[in-house]
Amino acid sequence: MSLNVSFNPRLLKRYLPILDWGSKYNRQAFANDGIAAVIVTIMLIPQSLAYALLAGLPPEAGLYASIVPIMLYTVFGTSRALAVGPVAVVSLMTAAAVGQVAEQGTAGYATAALTLAFLSGAILMALGLFRLGFLANFLSHPVIAGFITASGILIAASQLKHILGIDAGGHTLVHLIESLWVHLGQISWITLVIGVSATAFLFWVRKGLKRLLKKAGLGPRLADVVTKAGPVAAVVVTTLVTGVFHLDGQGVKIVGAVPQSLPPFTWPVSSLALMQQLFVPALLISIIGFVESISVAQTLAAKKRQRVDPDQELIGLGAANIGAAFTGGFPVTGGFSRSVVNFDAGAETPAAGAFTAVGLGIAALFLTPLIYFLPKATLAATIIVAVLSLVDFKILKTTWDYSKADFTAVLATIILTLLSGVEVGVSAGVILSIALHLYKTSKPHIAEVGLVPGTEHFRNVLRHEVRTTPELVTIRVDESLYFANARFLEDYILDRVAEDQAIKHVVLMCPAVNEIDTSALEALEEINRRLADNGILLHLSEVKGPVMDRLQKSHFLHDLSGQVFLHQFAAMKALGDVTDEGNKTPPENPSTSPEEAA
């Protein structure tokens, strides 16, 4: 007896995208990916160390979290330019979550960070396998922008203690400021000079160095590489100064000894109780990390007309986080700055990430002794300069001008994040996003429409000169009908017919209705019954096919007092006093401005 097992190559390529792009890999792609990897590696060495510091972990954890996770994403991810690793917001969320269950600097703290990465990876993997990537859409862009802005402020504030050389703590802006104020008398002036100088230098590198190098005659590519190496220059100079003058003996806190090794094998799951404590933070980290990652990936893919699969991205990020959990890291995601650098440097395939991982592995093996005297103030400066670019208060003005509801959600997210911490902030963001959607759709735009003379088009009677019939009222609803807005529609129609005794027909025009749920169906049945009791017939027009398919499975169409018309003009001809010949008078002003649109 033989067992025949057949593989679907297409399905295999969907879950292992490396089989797709890897089969077309060539020398040109190898050269471009290699150059991009060198540039990104130079940028990631100080950044990885800094984000480990932000997460409350030893600096080597940042390197470990940037090696195996990148390689796993290379196999499972679909973005050609996304660079995966520690990022500022997720590192801050890690510190906030793990700090609630263990004390920083203990073995329990490191184990909790591994557990958090494992849970985050498992959640992302499950969401991807069940194709639930759409759940991230429940976080609106304004709310995400507000959360990231507030997180950037929190992160910058949390690093001031390293710039000042004092001990301070807290996970909210109030607690951070209070703690900094209490310890202000302990400032290390040498540390302050190093921290301020490094911060000022890095701001200058970001804003002015590239322009200066181009004026000096360097080519765009070389100028870009030198600019990206700016943080490395800050690391080298401050490390040399600290080591030569033994500033660590004068109060300057340094990184110290960093293990000279590749990522170790670690076991992330220590207890069921710890997993239960960290599940909600892991879920929030997964959502925020995925939203940030997919936004960057899709933006960069669009520039080269490439495609990113959100569900497969969940699997790729899930694999990366699980890899981090088993190799001494902490939660990771696709970073904005490093991905843009990777893209601009010419990366053609995810192999650039794998080459970056090799570069970081070499750094972990051979370069760690060189950073023994690296001041923590320099790493703090790296973080501050990186995260302040995330702070965007323009979103407040934009939303205020465009939508007061969005403005309220953004402002509430910023305030709650700053005053109550990142977990409360992101939880509030999710709740506000959903509440905002329910609020906007619970009172949909409903228009009474009439026929534009000389056409078969129907427009709002309040905006246009249109033809109407006393016995006929046409109501156009510009939203799908579901539990939150069903009663609103019912009240609108019944109020409208109550004030006009001449009405004999009501047509519900449905070109924008994509869904009618059970609650809305019951509301339509009630509208039909109430109108029939008053001698008024209810009709439908322009019902979409999928909606009609659902309605045909119910008793509603059988009980409908009126008819279902293919288009509204047919309803007007059948029920009103309009004929094809009688509607040929051209309108005086056939064109409408954007302000007059229905």
Side-chain angles (χ1 to χ4, degrees):
M1 180 178 177
S2 62
L3 182 65
N4 293 323
V5 179
S6 61
F7 292 97
N8 184 338
R10 205 168 156 190
L11 185 66
L12 203 59
K13 284 185 178 181
R14 194 184 93 187
Y15 287 109
L16 293 172
I18 191 174
L19 298 178
D20 183 24
W21 60 262
S23 62
K24 308 164 191 170
Y25 204 64
N26 54 42
R27 287 186 179 181
Q28 184 62 44
F30 174 79
N32 291 336
D33 288 342
I35 293 170
V38 171
I39 296 172
V40 175
T41 301
I42 292 170
M43 174 187 175
L44 277 188
I45 291 173
Q47 201 177 75
S48 298
L49 299 172
Y51 290 151
L53 180 73
L54 178 58
L57 292 162
E60 64 269 17
L63 291 173
Y64 298 160
S66 302
I67 297 176
V68 172
I70 297 178
M71 298 184 114
L72 287 170
Y73 180 82
T74 300
V75 175
F76 294 101
T78 59
S79 171
R80 301 294 180 98
L82 193 71
V84 172
V87 300
V89 173
V90 170
S91 298
L92 176 67
M93 294 178 73
T94 298
V98 176
Q100 294 177 3
V101 299
E103 185 178 347
Q104 190 171 323
T106 64
Y109 190 95
T111 301
L114 297 175
T115 304
L116 192 64
F118 176 78
L119 287 172
S120 180
I123 291 168
L124 289 165
M125 188 78 77
L127 290 173
L129 291 172
F130 288 103
R131 307 191 71 77
L132 298 175
F134 68 90
L135 291 176
N137 297 333
F138 285 112
L139 272 174
S140 68
H141 172 71
V143 166
I144 283 289
F147 172 73
I148 290 177
T149 291
S151 297
I153 295 170
L154 273 180
I155 291 167
S158 72
Q159 296 308 296
L160 290 177
K161 63 181 180 182
H162 297 297
I163 299 291
L164 298 172
I166 61 178
D167 292 320
H171 295 299
T172 69
L173 188 61
V174 173
H175 290 155
L176 281 168
I177 293 173
E178 194 174 46
S179 181
L180 288 168
W181 178 260
V182 169
H183 295 89
L184 210 54
Q186 304 170 3
I187 290 178
S188 167
W189 294 103
I190 299 177
T191 302
L192 180 62
V193 169
I194 292 173
V196 171
S197 300
T199 304
F201 172 74
L202 291 173
F203 270 119
W204 175 77
V205 165
R206 178 168 288 217
K207 298 291 183 182
L209 179 58
K210 190 173 182 178
R211 186 167 58 249
L212 186 66
L213 291 173
K214 284 183 177 179
K215 284 183 179 179
L218 265 69
R221 176 64 68 89
L222 185 57
D224 193 54
V225 172
V226 174
T227 301
K228 297 299 184 296
V232 176
V235 166
V236 171
V237 172
T238 55
T239 300
L240 284 173
V241 169
T242 304
V244 169
F245 295 100
H246 301 287
L247 299 181
D248 54 314
Q250 300 179 48
V252 175
K253 294 180 180 178
I254 59 174
V255 167
V258 176
Q260 198 172 348
S261 69
L262 290 173
F265 175 78
T266 51
W267 185 253
V269 183
S270 59
S271 72
L272 184 60
L274 180 61
M275 293 180 71
Q276 290 174 335
Q277 286 178 288
L278 293 175
F279 180 79
V280 172
L283 178 62
L284 297 176
I285 286 173
S286 300
I287 294 171
I288 290 296
F290 174 63
V291 169
E292 180 177 351
S293 179
I294 196 66
S295 299
V296 177
Q298 289 178 334
T299 300
L300 296 179
K303 292 183 178 181
K304 288 190 175 181
R305 297 187 179 183
Q306 295 168 347
R307 180 178 172 273
V308 173
D309 181 351
D311 293 310
Q312 185 59 33
E313 283 298 290
L314 283 165
I315 294 174
L317 291 174
N321 276 279
I322 291 173
F326 283 96
T327 55
F330 54 97
V332 298
T333 193
F336 175 77
S337 58
R338 73 188 63 175
S339 298
V340 171
V341 170
N342 197 36
F343 179 86
D344 290 343
E348 287 194 23
T349 73
F355 299 152
T356 300
V358 172
L360 291 171
I362 293 171
L365 273 174
F366 302 109
L367 302 182
T368 52
L370 302 178
I371 60 172
Y372 180 90
F373 288 104
L374 173 60
K376 289 186 176 181
T378 304
L379 295 180
T382 303
I383 294 172
I384 289 171
V385 173
V387 300
L388 286 183
S389 64
L390 303 175
V391 176
D392 178 21
F393 285 115
K394 289 187 295 184
I395 190 68
L396 290 171
K397 183 180 184 306
T398 302
T399 53
W400 174 261
D401 293 338
Y402 188 76
S403 169
K404 298 299 186 290
D406 283 340
F407 170 80
T408 303
V410 172
L411 185 62
T413 303
I414 291 175
I415 291 173
L416 285 170
T417 303
L418 291 177
L419 299 183
S420 302
V422 289
E423 285 188 21
V424 173
V426 72
S427 300
V430 173
I431 294 170
L432 284 169
S433 295
I434 296 172
L436 198 59
H437 171 73
L438 292 175
Y439 171 76
K440 288 178 177 177
T441 57
S442 66
K443 295 183 178 180
H445 180 256
I446 296 177
E448 183 176 335
V449 300
L451 179 64
V452 178
T455 74
E456 296 184 6
H457 300 293
F458 290 78
R459 291 292 184 267
N460 193 329
V461 298
L462 301 178
R463 293 174 178 263
H464 300 268
E465 292 292 332
V466 294
R467 298 180 60 179
T468 59
T469 302
E471 295 185 347
L472 171 64
V473 170
T474 300
I475 304 297
R476 189 192 69 213
V477 56
D478 296 331
E479 185 64 68
S480 291
L481 300 177
Y482 73 119
F483 66 90
N485 61 25
R487 177 58 63 87
F488 180 79
L489 175 65
E490 183 180 342
D491 291 342
Y492 182 93
I493 292 176
L494 296 178
D495 288 345
R496 176 65 182 87
V497 299
E499 65 187 31
D500 191 345
Q501 299 299 317
I503 297 173
K504 299 299 180 186
H505 301 278
V506 171
V507 181
L508 187 61
M509 188 177 171
C510 307
V513 177
N514 298 312
E515 177 76 21
I516 297 177
D517 75 356
T518 304
S519 298
L521 179 63
E522 291 177 357
L524 290 176
E525 291 171 344
E526 180 64 15
I527 293 169
N528 183 56
R529 186 186 65 78
R530 294 277 295 274
L531 291 178
D533 289 345
N534 288 281
I536 301 172
L537 301 182
L538 176 66
H539 310 270
L540 303 179
S541 72
E542 303 190 14
V543 182
K544 293 185 176 179
V547 177
M548 182 61 74
D549 292 341
R550 296 280 296 275
L551 291 178
Q552 287 173 342
K553 296 177 182 179
S554 70
H555 294 287
F556 175 70
L557 295 179
H558 180 267
D559 297 334
L560 184 66
S561 59
Q563 305 174 54
V564 178
F565 294 94
L566 183 62
H567 52 84
Q568 182 56 32
F569 188 69
M572 192 78 167
K573 284 170 59 180
L575 306 173
D577 59 357
V578 175
T579 64
D580 289 325
E581 291 299 320
N583 192 47
K584 288 187 177 179
T585 304
E588 293 182 8
N589 183 17
S591 63
T592 59
S593 66
E595 291 78 19
E596 295 173 325

